[in-house]
Amino acid sequence: MSLASTLTVTSLTFELAELGEESFMPSVQALLEPPYTLGDGIPEEVAAGVRWGKAPNIYPYPMQENYTRETSATALTAVVLENEHVKASFLPQLGGRLWELTDKASGKSLLHTQDRIQFANLALRNAWFAGGIEYNIGTRGHSPTTCAPLHAAVVRTPDGLDRLRMWEFDRLREVVFQIDAWLPADSKVLLVAVRIRNPNAETVPMYWWTNAAVPQTPQTRVLAPATHAYATDYDGSMTRLKPTDFHGSDATWPDRNQRAADFFFDLAPEERRWEVATDADGDGLALVSSAQLHGRKLFVWGENTGGHRWQEWLTPATDGHPRHYAEIQAGLAQTQFEHVPMPAGASWQWVEAYGNAALDPALAAGPWETAVAHGAERVAALISEQAVANAMVDAGRWADLPPSEFLVAGNGWGALERERRRHAQMEWIDETGTPFGTETLTAAQQPWLELLAKQIGEPFAGAESFVRGADWEELLTAAPSAEAAMHLATMLHAQTPPTAVGMAAVIDAYQRALDGSFADDIPLSPRSMAVARRGLGQALLTAGEIEAGLAELAAACTLEPDSRELLVEAMTCAADNGRPDLLLALLSRAPERLTGIGRVKFLQARALADLDRNEEAAKLLRDGIVVADLREGANSLTDLWRRVCPGEEVPPEYQFSML
């Protein structure tokens, strides 16, 4: 007799880095991506998806960039699903991450996890952490919600089975997504159903990738039912090739890749959607889904100094032994460069299943065709196509069941969106299964609720958060004030292509907020003034008015002298535009608590080098600089060391190159 399936709400304690406050500056800056270069053999369908739908920026989400490398013991809410075969633990407060998945028969953890969580600059909003299974929505990159709490609740179905439901409103694409996880009593796989609903009156570009970190050893191999893959590099190039013959090596063994790369397997339409990572014993995660989740991917960090350094940075060794990992992923499109059109009013749902494929290690390590055929047999034994189809029926049947017990509150933007749409008489979702309670509204949403209630002509003031949408613009236009003008300028900036021609109207809008006369005669607050001057500075830089732009950024720093993000941005722009003297002047006026930050010290060393003060720059580097928010793929520390310490070997802690 099988043991019952249980859902338990508990806590897990981690050495967790402090995430810090979200940035108060609107994210109007363009997303950092390499230019796409499509090689031979890329079908037009993929090329069209690459060309269409890219988000210009992450607005209205604020950046999460104020974290450090310091950690402290922190308890997080965990939801554990368990039966006699599988144990799974979710972390709703960190993007709903599936953190642990244990196969009880082998006693193995199928996911790469850790007891110390460090944030690093790899996500759309900057902060990201490695491990577990992550759910990504919106646009190419790690999701805006990856380091934010999701709404989470228990849903009890009529058959008595408890399910975990997590949901949120995605502010970038203005859609609602939900994740339902359940574990039948006799199941060897954890089942997860994802549903996305588009309440908008127009088609939106959609993106979804489920990202699983798996342990990597020299014996790890990744299998998927395809003979070819689209390989992408950190220079933005994409080429169709055989993954078993990549630069003379079989790339399906992650440990044999000398540099970081992505491999998007080219699965034929008739193939089942699965991917498996096996170890020396043939055990490992099987990532299986219904056909809606089309793409499959392998990511490797590369067996070089930079790849190893990144893994050490993200997963610090606690026992002196490095723990490497690879990633297997499943997505809506063929590659992560693409977006998929989601029609107005559409609702999409699919099912994913995670479990131990338990392959024969000799067959898994054999010729590709033999290994894949064996993998397909074991996947079918683990969960049949009919079982996936049955799970899809169940997922649809229970998708709108109301929660039985609320566990974690997400943010209040979904509740505000409901009120916005009611006011504008726009379509919205049925919230029965995914409620956005008024109790989730906070001070961030309150000024916008008040704007909805204002009479025409009443001035607007007090919002330090940001929104997007034509109806918000109409309401702000009808509530004339300096604050309203600042928000209108920010909205215009966020939706204007970053070209010199397009910036003229943006510059005028910021100047109106800063210099205009309004009936309420209430000036901008110091923070709003800083936001407006910063936005004006960035617009002027884009327009080619370098000195004027840098002056505005410096003025913003004076208005908000304790802001790390303003100081770093102004110093970076000064360095990038050949003004190391201005960078050092900004530093001289900064409070002491900011001058010791690793990013600030690095920029100081860069400015000294640009002024040919190499000995001073070298001393800063030799004394040690830890840049907590170093960008993925950045090689700036290595480059600076080689400039100011010629002939000396670059210290391993400064080697982050992905090439």
Side-chain angles (χ1 to χ4, degrees), residues 569-581:
E569 183 173 281
M571 291 175 69
T572 301
C573 289
D576 290 346
N577 287 282
R579 286 295 308 278
D581 56 323

PDB file of all heavy atoms in Angstrom, residues 569-581:
ATOM      1  N   GLU A 569      25.714  54.961 -11.298  1.00  0.00           N
ATOM      2  CA  GLU A 569      25.332  55.275 -12.668  1.00  0.00           C
ATOM      3  C   GLU A 569      26.055  56.517 -13.172  1.00  0.00           C
ATOM      4  O   GLU A 569      26.576  56.538 -14.305  1.00  0.00           O
ATOM      5  CB  GLU A 569      23.821  55.471 -12.760  1.00  0.00           C
ATOM      6  CG  GLU A 569      23.330  55.736 -14.171  1.00  0.00           C
ATOM      7  CD  GLU A 569      21.822  55.750 -14.261  1.00  0.00           C
ATOM      8  OE1 GLU A 569      21.212  54.663 -14.288  1.00  0.00           O
ATOM      9  OE2 GLU A 569      21.249  56.846 -14.290  1.00  0.00           O
ATOM     10  N   ALA A 570      26.127  57.562 -12.357  1.00  0.00           N
ATOM     11  CA  ALA A 570      26.795  58.788 -12.777  1.00  0.00           C
ATOM     12  C   ALA A 570      28.285  58.557 -12.992  1.00  0.00           C
ATOM     13  O   ALA A 570      28.874  59.048 -13.978  1.00  0.00           O
ATOM     14  CB  ALA A 570      26.570  59.884 -11.743  1.00  0.00           C
ATOM     15  N   MET A 571      28.923  57.802 -12.091  1.00  0.00           N
ATOM     16  CA  MET A 571      30.350  57.508 -12.242  1.00  0.00           C
ATOM     17  C   MET A 571      30.601  56.676 -13.491  1.00  0.00           C
ATOM     18  O   MET A 571      31.570  56.910 -14.237  1.00  0.00           O
ATOM     19  CB  MET A 571      30.867  56.785 -10.999  1.00  0.00           C
ATOM     20  CG  MET A 571      30.911  57.653  -9.749  1.00  0.00           C
ATOM     21  SD  MET A 571      31.381  56.719  -8.258  1.00  0.00           S
ATOM     22  CE  MET A 571      33.110  56.344  -8.617  1.00  0.00           C
ATOM     23  N   THR A 572      29.745  55.698 -13.746  1.00  0.00           N
ATOM     24  CA  THR A 572      29.907  54.839 -14.922  1.00  0.00           C
ATOM     25  C   THR A 572      29.775  55.653 -16.207  1.00  0.00           C
ATOM     26  O   THR A 572      30.566  55.491 -17.149  1.00  0.00           O
ATOM     27  CB  THR A 572      28.878  53.703 -14.900  1.00  0.00           C
ATOM     28  OG1 THR A 572      29.041  52.933 -13.701  1.00  0.00           O
ATOM     29  CG2 THR A 572      29.039  52.795 -16.107  1.00  0.00           C
ATOM     30  N   CYS A 573      28.772  56.530 -16.258  1.00  0.00           N
ATOM     31  CA  CYS A 573      28.584  57.356 -17.452  1.00  0.00           C
ATOM     32  C   CYS A 573      29.755  58.308 -17.649  1.00  0.00           C
ATOM     33  O   CYS A 573      30.176  58.570 -18.787  1.00  0.00           O
ATOM     34  CB  CYS A 573      27.271  58.132 -17.350  1.00  0.00           C
ATOM     35  SG  CYS A 573      25.798  57.099 -17.514  1.00  0.00           S
ATOM     36  N   ALA A 574      30.292  58.829 -16.546  1.00  0.00           N
ATOM     37  CA  ALA A 574      31.466  59.699 -16.667  1.00  0.00           C
ATOM     38  C   ALA A 574      32.645  58.932 -17.252  1.00  0.00           C
ATOM     39  O   ALA A 574      33.349  59.425 -18.148  1.00  0.00           O
ATOM     40  CB  ALA A 574      31.824  60.274 -15.296  1.00  0.00           C
ATOM     41  N   ALA A 575      32.864  57.706 -16.768  1.00  0.00           N
ATOM     42  CA  ALA A 575      33.960  56.892 -17.283  1.00  0.00           C
ATOM     43  C   ALA A 575      33.747  56.530 -18.746  1.00  0.00           C
ATOM     44  O   ALA A 575      34.672  56.618 -19.568  1.00  0.00           O
ATOM     45  CB  ALA A 575      34.106  55.626 -16.443  1.00  0.00           C
ATOM     46  N   ASP A 576      32.527  56.138 -19.093  1.00  0.00           N
ATOM     47  CA  ASP A 576      32.239  55.713 -20.462  1.00  0.00           C
ATOM     48  C   ASP A 576      32.334  56.859 -21.459  1.00  0.00           C
ATOM     49  O   ASP A 576      32.490  56.626 -22.665  1.00  0.00           O
ATOM     50  CB  ASP A 576      30.841  55.092 -20.532  1.00  0.00           C
ATOM     51  CG  ASP A 576      30.756  53.750 -19.829  1.00  0.00           C
ATOM     52  OD1 ASP A 576      31.813  53.176 -19.517  1.00  0.00           O
ATOM     53  OD2 ASP A 576      29.622  53.282 -19.583  1.00  0.00           O
ATOM     54  N   ASN A 577      32.214  58.093 -20.968  1.00  0.00           N
ATOM     55  CA  ASN A 577      32.234  59.246 -21.862  1.00  0.00           C
ATOM     56  C   ASN A 577      33.508  60.080 -21.715  1.00  0.00           C
ATOM     57  O   ASN A 577      33.530  61.268 -22.036  1.00  0.00           O
ATOM     58  CB  ASN A 577      30.998  60.119 -21.620  1.00  0.00           C
ATOM     59  CG  ASN A 577      29.731  59.493 -22.154  1.00  0.00           C
ATOM     60  OD1 ASN A 577      29.469  59.532 -23.356  1.00  0.00           O
ATOM     61  ND2 ASN A 577      28.948  58.881 -21.273  1.00  0.00           N
ATOM     62  N   GLY A 578      34.585  59.430 -21.221  1.00  0.00           N
ATOM     63  CA  GLY A 578      35.891  60.071 -21.208  1.00  0.00           C
ATOM     64  C   GLY A 578      36.056  61.193 -20.208  1.00  0.00           C
ATOM     65  O   GLY A 578      36.835  62.127 -20.455  1.00  0.00           O
ATOM     66  N   ARG A 579      35.354  61.119 -19.066  1.00  0.00           N
ATOM     67  CA  ARG A 579      35.471  62.144 -18.051  1.00  0.00           C
ATOM     68  C   ARG A 579      35.896  61.542 -16.708  1.00  0.00           C
ATOM     69  O   ARG A 579      35.164  61.612 -15.709  1.00  0.00           O
ATOM     70  CB  ARG A 579      34.149  62.889 -17.897  1.00  0.00           C
ATOM     71  CG  ARG A 579      33.822  63.851 -19.030  1.00  0.00           C
ATOM     72  CD  ARG A 579      34.817  65.022 -19.097  1.00  0.00           C
ATOM     73  NE  ARG A 579      34.961  65.683 -17.806  1.00  0.00           N
ATOM     74  CZ  ARG A 579      34.117  66.611 -17.332  1.00  0.00           C
ATOM     75  NH1 ARG A 579      33.079  66.995 -18.074  1.00  0.00           N
ATOM     76  NH2 ARG A 579      34.330  67.155 -16.154  1.00  0.00           N
ATOM     77  N   PRO A 580      37.088  60.939 -16.633  1.00  0.00           N
ATOM     78  CA  PRO A 580      37.531  60.371 -15.362  1.00  0.00           C
ATOM     79  C   PRO A 580      37.678  61.424 -14.269  1.00  0.00           C
ATOM     80  O   PRO A 580      37.532  61.120 -13.083  1.00  0.00           O
ATOM     81  CB  PRO A 580      38.876  59.737 -15.711  1.00  0.00           C
ATOM     82  CG  PRO A 580      39.346  60.465 -16.930  1.00  0.00           C
ATOM     83  CD  PRO A 580      38.100  60.777 -17.697  1.00  0.00           C
ATOM     84  N   ASP A 581      37.958  62.674 -14.643  1.00  0.00           N
ATOM     85  CA  ASP A 581      38.056  63.745 -13.655  1.00  0.00           C
ATOM     86  C   ASP A 581      36.723  63.988 -12.962  1.00  0.00           C
ATOM     87  O   ASP A 581      36.656  64.188 -11.741  1.00  0.00           O
ATOM     88  CB  ASP A 581      38.545  65.033 -14.330  1.00  0.00           C
ATOM     89  CG  ASP A 581      37.656  65.442 -15.505  1.00  0.00           C
ATOM     90  OD1 ASP A 581      37.169  64.551 -16.246  1.00  0.00           O
ATOM     91  OD2 ASP A 581      37.437  66.651 -15.694  1.00  0.00           O
TER      92      ASP A 581
END
